[in-house]
Amino acid sequence: SYGNAKPPDGSTIETWDGRLWVGGVPGYEEFLFPSGLDTPEQFDMTFNLMLREREAGKVLRIMEFSNELWAFKAASIWKVARTGDSYIVDKLVEDVGLGAVGSAVRCGKDMLVFLSNHKRIEILTPTGLAQAEFPISAKVKETLASINTAVIHKCAAGNYVERGEYRLAVPTGSNTEPDTVIVFNYLRGTFGLDDYAYSPTSMNLTDYAAGSRALLLGSSSGGLYRADEAASTDDGAGITMDVQTGWLTTPNKVKIFKLFLDYVLPETKAMSFRIYKNFEGTPAWDKTLDGNTPAGADPELRNTIRAKLGMAVQGKAFSFRFVNSDDAKIKVSQINAVVIHREKGQGVQAA
């Protein structure tokens, strides 16, 4: 017979190719142990696969992906494939590995997203790491860099299929529980940040009613929450919208002295509009803009407000930020800035 040893005590398991696979076994951290075919309770400890070349390192996570078995270590990624009656082990990625065990999530048939040991969000495809570069804002980069390494194992991730979003909850700074959620929309290639009134420690896409599916989030205090894009509160607390553009740079120093802003904002609501310069963390200009657009169910049908704003903000790099804490739908459609700049030998110019 195949063997009658009990399943080994490992830290990661997966079912693939009709077998139960176990990795991270104490004393055999670099080995994978498969069960007998269609007998997940039977193991032969002499039948195993070793994942090692030059570096030593524990197998942190194994996952079935693209009809193959993938193994993550701290600084490498391995693949186990079946050929005939045997298995072939290949190391596909070197120097990049899994930074947080709970961060690896399958996002579709040909995409697996995870937080790497370099505190970057990486995309794994059936042929290896994707080379596509997505624009990441300074805030998202700062959040990734500030992940508390001492408790990085508490990171939790989920795939919000209906929105095409990979969501990763991370503990930042001195926080010992996840406090910020990085949202990567893999359909649009965009990044954003969310925070909640609680610490999300788990995420699972679950059918919670007939024909209804949602991303459920568990909290460090034992609560269970449902992600709802139509919600206007977060566990009873207001939700703040905070959007900041990337940095717009100019080769020469310029001065913004007039700005036209087109936006939609219901009456009785307000929005903070802030301008930052030269990559500084505090705004150089801040103004509260009032709404006077008639309320209605469809913001696309409301009148657009055109605000003429005077200012004197000088620099070579500018970023615009919009903040609102009301229960309101807001749309910013256009920013037109009139700037003054000085060309050598031509004096002051306006554009």
Side-chain angles (χ1 to χ4, degrees):
S1 67
Y2 176 78
N4 58 5
K6 70 174 184 177
D9 297 326
S11 58
T12 176
I13 63 173
E14 180 66 289
T15 55
W16 171 69
D17 197 36
R19 302 176 188 270
L20 176 66
W21 295 75
V22 181
V25 178
Y28 302 90
E29 286 85 357
E30 298 175 317
F31 289 79
L32 296 182
F33 295 93
S35 72
L37 188 63
D38 296 325
T39 54
E41 74 283 0
Q42 296 183 1
F43 280 77
D44 181 349
M45 298 301 289
T46 64
F47 181 31
N48 54 65
L49 302 176
M50 185 174 71
L51 280 62
R52 181 175 183 176
E53 284 185 352
R54 294 184 300 275
E55 91 291 352
K58 177 182 178 180
V59 174
L60 302 175
R61 180 89 181 266
I62 52 177
M63 301 178 69
E64 187 277 331
F65 175 56
S66 189
N67 200 31
E68 294 168 326
L69 187 68
W70 292 70
F72 293 85
K73 299 171 78 171
S76 60
I77 303 174
W78 303 66
K79 181 177 73 172
V80 179
R82 182 188 177 106
T83 173
D85 295 328
S86 60
Y87 295 104
I88 295 179
V89 177
D90 285 319
K91 181 165 73 169
L92 288 193
V93 180
E94 192 167 10
D95 297 327
V96 175
L98 190 60
V101 172
S103 70
V105 176
R106 285 182 289 268
C107 297
K109 180 181 177 182
D110 299 323
M111 182 185 300
L112 193 154
V113 187
F114 66 98
L115 177 69
S116 78
N117 53 323
H118 301 292
K119 293 184 179 180
R120 293 197 303 260
I121 293 178
E122 300 282 0
I123 298 175
L124 187 66
T125 71
T127 57
L129 287 182
Q131 300 302 314
E133 291 290 338
F134 297 104
I136 303 178
S137 69
K139 284 192 173 182
V140 175
K141 290 180 179 179
E142 290 169 3
T143 300
L144 287 167
S146 69
I147 293 175
N148 187 346
T149 305
V151 290
I152 198 172
H153 61 279
K154 292 188 177 182
C155 290
N159 178 21
Y160 198 169
V161 176
E162 280 71 14
R163 294 178 61 87
E165 292 176 350
Y166 166 81
R167 295 191 173 193
L168 174 66
V170 298
T172 62
S174 60
N175 290 307
T176 57
E177 298 290 347
D179 60 281
T180 304
V181 176
I182 300 172
V183 182
F184 168 48
N185 189 304
Y186 49 83
L187 299 180
R188 296 197 299 262
T190 59
F191 285 86
L193 296 175
D194 280 351
D195 55 28
Y196 298 94
Y198 53 89
S199 297
T201 54
S202 67
M203 298 187 196
N204 289 281
L205 192 66
T206 306
D207 294 319
Y208 67 93
S212 299
R213 184 169 63 170
L215 187 69
L216 297 184
L217 292 82
S219 73
S220 58
S221 59
L224 189 63
Y225 301 85
R226 174 165 60 93
D228 183 359
E229 59 185 283
S232 58
T233 63
D234 178 17
D235 197 22
I239 299 174
T240 298
M241 177 209 75
D242 191 336
V243 178
Q244 185 169 351
T245 68
W247 288 94
L248 310 175
T249 59
T250 63
N252 302 309
K253 184 182 293 184
V254 301
K255 180 186 292 184
I256 300 178
F257 75 98
K258 192 183 299 181
L259 188 144
F260 296 94
L261 180 68
D262 293 353
Y263 66 97
V264 173
L265 183 64
E267 55 189 352
T268 74
K269 310 296 183 181
M271 174 176 64
S272 173
F273 176 47
R274 307 168 189 175
I275 300 178
Y276 295 76
K277 68 174 185 177
N278 299 335
F279 306 100
E280 296 173 356
T282 56
W285 191 86
D286 189 349
K287 185 176 180 63
T288 297
L289 303 177
D290 295 323
N292 58 13
T293 306
D298 190 348
E300 299 296 335
L301 300 180
R302 300 176 188 158
N303 296 323
T304 298
I305 303 169
R306 168 157 287 190
K308 179 182 177 181
L309 307 172
M311 63 197 68
V313 181
Q314 185 171 289
K316 297 178 67 175
F318 303 92
S319 176
F320 305 102
R321 185 178 179 183
F322 306 89
V323 181
N324 173 271
S325 299
D326 296 316
D327 180 7
K329 291 185 177 180
I330 301 169
K331 176 183 177 182
V332 177
S333 56
Q334 187 168 246
I335 304 173
N336 287 327
V338 180
V339 302
I340 293 177
H341 61 99
R342 185 182 299 276
E343 295 290 345
K344 185 175 182 180
Q346 298 182 17
V348 176
Q349 306 288 323

